[in-house]
C-alpha cells in the first residue's frame, strides 16, 4: 500500500450540463443538473484511494448539509478523514458548466476551505508517516506552505498541482519535488506557450515536472534526463472535470510503488482517460482494476 496524505480542498460541485456555455450576458437552457462531491484535494484523495493507495485527507468541510455528504464520500472510498476538520459555516462549492464537448468552466467559492490557514495539532505527525504529500492551491497559500515545510522536514515527497494558477512563492517551489501543471498553468507560471520550453524553464525551480496535455497525454521532464512524452488513450470525452486530479492521484500511487517513470505516466494517463468518459468529479474516477485493464 502507498502512504499518501492530501492537504487540500473539499467542495460540493454544482454541475449544470448545457449544449454550449453561455457568453457574458447570455442565458442558455441546460439539460441536467447534478450535485457531485469534489474539490481538488478531495478529488485527488478519492482518485488515489480508488487506484489502490492508502490515503488520508487534511482539510475542512462546513457545518452545513454538504459537510456530512462530503465526509461520507471520502470515507466510502476508503480515505481516512480522522483529521478532516468541520468549520462553522458553509462548505466549499464549485459551480461548474459542462458543455456537450466535455469542456467546462468553473467558479469556486472556498467556504470552509478558507479557514485552513495553517496545520493544526496532529497534522504534521500524519504527514510525517506518508511517502507522498499531495498539494494544490485551493486552500490559503499559508496552509500549503505550512504543509510543504512539514513534509520537507520529514523527507516526504511533495507533489504540487499549481491550480488555480497563480504566482508561486520561491520557498514553495524550493520544497516541491514534482510539479504537475496542465499546459495552461505551465504557460501562466513561465510566460512560455510551448510546453517543452516551459518544462525546461520549470526545471530551473523544481527537480521534476509533468505537464498534462489533455487528450495529447503528458510530458515528463527531470534534471539530467531526456524528456518523456506519453500519449493518452483515444476516447470520447463526456466531462473533463477532475481529469487532472485523477491523473495526479493515480500517478502518486504508481510513484509510491516505484514503477519506472514511463509506466507511471502511462498508468496515470489511462486513469484520466477513463474518468473523462463519465460525468462528474469523484464519481467519474476509476478503480485500480479498471486502470490496469486500460493501461
Amino acid at each position: 500500500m502507498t502512504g499518501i496524505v492530501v492537504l487540500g480542498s473539499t467542495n460540493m460541485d454544482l454541475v449544470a450540463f448545457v449544449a454550449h456555455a453561455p457568453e457574458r450576458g447570455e442565458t442558455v437552457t441546460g439539460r441536467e443538473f447534478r450535485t457531485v462531491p469534489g474539490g481538488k484535494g478531495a478529488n485527488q484523495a478519492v482518485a488515489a484511494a480508488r487506484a489502490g493507495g492508502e490515503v488520508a485527507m487534511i482539510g475542512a468541510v462546513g457545518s452545513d448539509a454538504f459537510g456530512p455528504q462530503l465526509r461520507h464520500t471520502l470515507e466510502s472510498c476508503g480515505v481516512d478523514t480522522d483529521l478532516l476538520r468541520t468549520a462553522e459555516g458553509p462548505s466549499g462549492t464549485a459551480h461548474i458548466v459542462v458543455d456537450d464537448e466535455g469542456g467546462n468552466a468553473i467558479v469556486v467559492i472556498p467556504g470552509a476551505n478558507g479557514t485552513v490557514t495553517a496545520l493544526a495539532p496532529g497534522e504534521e505527525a500524519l504527514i510525517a508517516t506518508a511517502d507522498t504529500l499531495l498539494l494544490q492551491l485551493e486552500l490559503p497559500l499559508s496552509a500549503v506552505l505550512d504543509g510543504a515545510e512539514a513534509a520537507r522536514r520529514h523527507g516526504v515527497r511533495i507533489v504540487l498541482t499549481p491550480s488555480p494558477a497563480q504566482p508561486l512563492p520561491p520557498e514553495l517551489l524550493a520544497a516541491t519535488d514534482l510539479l504537475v501543471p496542465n499546459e495552461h498553468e505551465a504557460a501562466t507560471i513561465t510566460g512560455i506557450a510551448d510546453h517543452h520550453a516551459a518544462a525546461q524553464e520549470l526545471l530551473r525551480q523544481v527537480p521534476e515536472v509533468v505537464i498534462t496535455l489533455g487528450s495529447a497525454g503528458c510530458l515528463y521532464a527531470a534534471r539530467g534526463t531526456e524528456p518523456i512524452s506519453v500519449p493518452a488513450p483515444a476516447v470520447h470525452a463526456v466531462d473533463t472535470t477532475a481529469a487532472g486530479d485523477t491523473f495526479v492521484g493515480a500517478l502518486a500511487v504508481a510513484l509510491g510503488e516505484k514503477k519506472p517513470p514511463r509506466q507511471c505516466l502511462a498508468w496515470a494517463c489511462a486513469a484520466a482517460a477513463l474518468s473523462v468518459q463519465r460525468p462528474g468529479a469523484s464519481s467519474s474516477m476509476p478503480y485500480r482494476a479498471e486502470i490496469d485493464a486500460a493501461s
Side-chain angles (χ1 to χ4, degrees):
M1 300 293 282
T2 301
I4 298 169
V5 172
V6 181
L7 172 60
S9 58
T10 305
N11 295 327
M12 184 62 79
D13 292 348
L14 311 176
V15 189
F17 294 87
V18 298
H20 72 273
E23 302 289 342
R24 183 174 182 178
E26 180 186 10
T27 299
V28 301
T29 298
R31 57 180 169 77
E32 189 178 357
F33 173 78
R34 297 183 186 179
T35 57
V36 183
K40 294 197 72 64
N43 287 343
Q44 291 184 3
V46 169
R50 287 189 172 184
E54 182 181 358
V55 186
M57 180 80 195
I58 299 173
V61 297
S63 58
D64 59 356
F66 289 150
Q69 296 176 50
L70 294 169
R71 187 180 294 273
H72 173 72
T73 295
L74 289 163
E75 292 172 349
S76 67
C77 294
V79 177
D80 181 342
T81 63
D82 286 353
L83 294 184
L84 181 64
R85 313 175 201 176
T86 298
E88 285 300 316
S91 299
T93 52
H95 304 255
I96 304 173
V97 175
V98 179
D99 64 32
D100 282 351
E101 300 300 316
N104 60 64
I106 305 173
V107 176
V108 174
I109 311 297
N113 298 302
T115 69
V116 184
T117 56
L119 293 182
E123 293 175 352
E124 178 166 346
L126 177 61
I127 291 170
T129 68
D131 297 325
T132 301
L133 175 66
L134 298 184
L135 297 170
Q136 323 79 34
L137 301 177
E138 286 186 343
L139 294 183
L141 198 53
S142 57
V144 178
L145 282 166
D146 215 15
E149 290 165 359
R152 179 60 63 209
R153 282 193 290 272
H154 297 283
V156 176
R157 179 196 293 115
I158 298 168
V159 178
L160 171 63
T161 303
S163 178
Q166 58 186 273
L168 300 176
E171 59 268 35
L172 179 57
L173 287 168
T176 298
D177 296 297
L178 172 62
L179 188 70
V180 190
N182 63 29
E183 56 191 316
H184 306 294
E185 291 153 0
T188 297
I189 294 166
T190 63
I192 300 170
D194 178 78
H195 55 267
H196 288 276
Q200 294 306 309
E201 178 62 28
L202 290 169
L203 288 181
R204 298 174 182 270
Q205 302 172 82
V206 297
E208 292 182 277
V209 176
V210 176
I211 299 179
T212 58
L213 305 170
S215 61
C218 66
L219 172 70
Y220 169 79
R223 292 171 182 167
T225 67
E226 287 296 313
I228 298 173
S229 292
V230 175
V235 299
H236 172 68
V238 172
D239 182 359
T240 58
T241 305
D245 296 328
T246 303
F247 178 94
V248 171
L251 180 63
V253 172
L255 290 171
E257 295 173 354
K258 304 190 186 308
K259 293 180 168 73
R262 187 178 292 276
Q263 187 177 345
C264 289
L265 297 165
W267 202 70
C269 281
L274 287 166
S275 77
V276 303
Q277 297 176 70
R278 308 163 181 169
S282 59
S283 57
S284 73
M285 293 172 174
Y287 290 90
R288 186 182 186 97
E290 297 176 281
I291 306 171
D292 286 341
S295 61

